[in-house]
Amino acid sequence: MAIREVAGRWYLYVGHFWHRGWSIIDVTDPSRPHVARFVEYPGANTWTLQVDLSGDTMITALEKPFANFGGDPSAPFGEGVLIWDIADPLNPRQLGHYRTGGIGTHRNLYAGGPYMHLAAGMPGYKGNIYVIVDISDRANPREAGRWWVPGQHEAGAEMAALATVAADDRFRTLLRPQCRCGGFCGGEDVSLHGPPYVIGNHAYLPYGAAGIIILDISDVTRPQQVGNLGFSPPFHSRFGVHGVLPIPERGIAFANSENVTYSRGGAHHASIIDISDPRQPELLSLLPEPIPPAEAPYRDFTTRGGWRGPHNMNHHQHHPDVQKQGNLFYLAHFNAGVRIYDVTNARLPREVGYFIPPDPKRRYGPMPEDKLVLQTEDVLVDRRGFIYITDKNQGLWVLKYAGAA
């Protein structure tokens, strides 16, 4: 989701799992949201999941869908990023199309300026890599730079090896234990989920089993790694770091994994990281695991059914109409709804609120693959304080936090 106010009206731009296209929802009166426009994507067999915007420019991701989400592995698909003019908020006008030549892009960032930052499935690579695209000419986007974990570039016959980092032995020693192959592995679970989050000359990458990777992109044509923090092990490997949100003014970042193993597998995490020295990020704390309400007919969220654990956070901090990250942190938590944490003390976060939607009554798509339970996907909070959450099989909820802000 992405949101903006135009001439006193509020518009929420939303991607979809089970439909190809994007909805524009008028949430000026958040108690009466309504779809003001649906922009259909004309192709088939394509994910149109993600939206970001800045000013009058919007970008939307196109991607080959997974087979277990209903995709046809042998059929044509759309891929890359579409670039739109949204000066007229209800009538987006396509300006350009960046094509990866591979499977497309998953979660991307556009925070204004000449560059968009992509988690892209490029030809010859295993998993998604980081690609910087110059859109100064919206009609003719062009690649400006790229970075990947050593071992991902299969077409280059790479051997998995230590990434190029600062030359001192201290940092190399820190890298070695974080992956069984010594450093990073270009294996199945090493992939940039995205979005890459860029602040100043640093790009913060949520890179699956490779953990959080921090790059210096002062020269966008040659990104250079400066820091890394691994999470897998001890946490699960697949999407071991799914999202990262840096808050440099506080010297911290929020990070979390995505657990797609149903009731199996290793533990997931939602974490607060010290990034005051980007060369040596450190784990400060783990956000507490949600506890079911006393009246719930299940003992814990792991055995409730569906995917469980954290998913997306209030990510679009670059946009002026999104509530700035302060002492409350909002996190979508799949079968546990949305959770709100007081993060005033980064060493001791505590849960201060939650909302658990009812379970869906109708299945619109093949996920979740077991019980039909709620699956809270995304959360966005506007600067008015209204909270928007989406569900795989129920659509959109609009909430207001009733606790002491």
Side-chain angles (χ1 to χ4, degrees):
M1 293 181 285
I3 197 164
R4 68 192 296 238
E5 180 190 13
V6 181
R9 302 207 68 81
W10 288 78
Y11 300 103
L12 189 70
Y13 296 79
V14 183
H16 295 280
F17 261 130
W18 317 125
H19 302 274
R20 296 181 302 276
W22 306 270
S23 289
I24 306 172
I25 304 171
D26 189 322
V27 291
T28 306
D29 178 355
S31 68
R32 301 181 65 185
H34 63 277
V35 177
R37 176 79 190 276
F38 178 69
V39 180
E40 186 173 5
Y41 176 70
N45 197 42
T46 301
W47 262 344
T48 58
L49 301 182
Q50 196 248 351
V51 179
D52 197 4
L53 59 86
S54 179
D56 289 337
T57 298
M58 178 174 72
I59 66 170
T60 57
L62 303 177
E63 185 179 14
K64 180 180 181 180
F66 298 155
N68 62 332
F69 278 77
D72 182 346
S74 62
F77 56 91
E79 60 88 2
V81 181
L82 298 181
I83 304 160
W84 305 82
D85 181 327
I86 53 171
D88 180 345
L90 291 178
N91 293 287
R93 182 169 59 91
Q94 185 179 326
L95 300 178
H97 184 180
Y98 174 76
R99 293 174 171 84
T100 66
I103 62 170
T105 67
H106 192 60
R107 289 184 72 90
N108 310 311
L109 176 90
Y110 179 65
Y115 302 114
M116 58 183 182
H117 302 266
L118 313 181
M122 305 296 283
Y125 292 84
K126 180 185 291 185
N128 291 342
I129 69 169
Y130 176 41
V131 177
I132 304 169
V133 176
D134 188 332
I135 59 169
S136 300
D137 179 354
R138 303 292 199 257
N140 296 289
R142 60 179 184 83
E143 181 179 325
R146 66 172 65 182
W147 189 91
W148 64 93
V149 169
Q152 281 190 279
H153 193 198
E154 293 183 310
E158 282 188 347
M159 296 295 289
L162 283 172
T164 302
V165 295
D168 62 281
D169 289 338
R170 173 191 63 80
F171 198 86
R172 291 184 183 278
T173 301
L174 286 174
L175 281 172
R176 285 194 183 100
Q178 292 172 3
C179 196
R180 295 184 185 88
C181 65
F184 293 133
C185 299
E188 186 71 26
D189 295 340
V190 173
S191 179
L192 175 59
H193 181 276
Y197 208 95
V198 176
I199 297 181
N201 289 329
H202 284 132
Y204 298 80
L205 309 182
Y207 227 110
I212 296 170
I213 295 171
I214 304 174
L215 304 180
D216 182 334
I217 59 167
S218 50
D219 178 356
V220 295
T221 67
R222 298 185 61 192
Q224 299 291 320
Q225 182 181 322
V226 295
N228 163 255
L229 181 63
F231 284 82
S232 307
F235 299 103
H236 66 85
S237 178
R238 184 88 187 272
F239 308 122
V241 178
H242 165 278
V244 60
L245 176 63
I247 311 295
E249 59 270 25
R250 288 188 60 185
I252 62 172
F254 298 92
N256 65 273
S257 63
E258 179 184 16
N259 196 333
V260 300
T261 60
Y262 296 92
S263 60
R264 302 178 299 279
H268 48 252
H269 70 91
S271 310
I272 302 179
I273 316 301
D274 184 338
I275 56 167
S276 55
D277 180 357
R279 299 169 301 173
Q280 192 173 354
E282 296 178 323
L283 178 65
L284 291 177
S285 59
L286 298 172
L287 275 61
E289 188 71 6
I291 297 172
E295 68 276 12
Y298 43 87
R299 296 178 304 158
D300 54 62
F301 290 106
T302 295
T303 56
R304 185 186 179 189
W307 287 1
R308 90 282 191 187
H311 190 221
N312 287 319
M313 57 188 92
N314 186 31
H315 230 133
H316 287 179
Q317 292 291 301
H318 56 277
H319 200 278
D321 294 331
V322 171
Q323 185 181 98
K324 291 296 171 274
Q325 178 59 53
N327 291 332
L328 294 180
F329 179 70
Y330 304 84
L331 186 63
H333 227 280
F334 279 135
N335 65 4
V338 64
R339 319 304 291 199
I340 305 175
Y341 300 91
D342 184 328
V343 294
T344 306
N345 184 346
R347 290 284 188 178
L348 192 64
R350 59 190 181 92
E351 186 175 276
V352 294
Y354 65 86
F355 178 82
I356 303 177
D359 287 332
K361 303 298 184 185
R362 174 181 172 185
R363 183 181 288 277
Y364 286 86
M367 302 297 286
E369 295 167 297
D370 60 352
K371 300 176 185 176
L372 182 58
V373 299
L374 72 101
Q375 298 282 263
T376 306
E377 288 286 321
D378 278 292
V379 58
L380 184 150
V381 187
D382 71 25
R383 60 178 168 82
R384 301 175 296 176
F386 296 110
I387 305 164
Y388 308 89
I389 63 172
T390 54
D391 182 279
K392 277 191 178 79
N393 289 288
Q394 293 190 95
L396 175 75
W397 295 82
V398 186
L399 313 170
K400 186 80 170 182
Y401 178 53

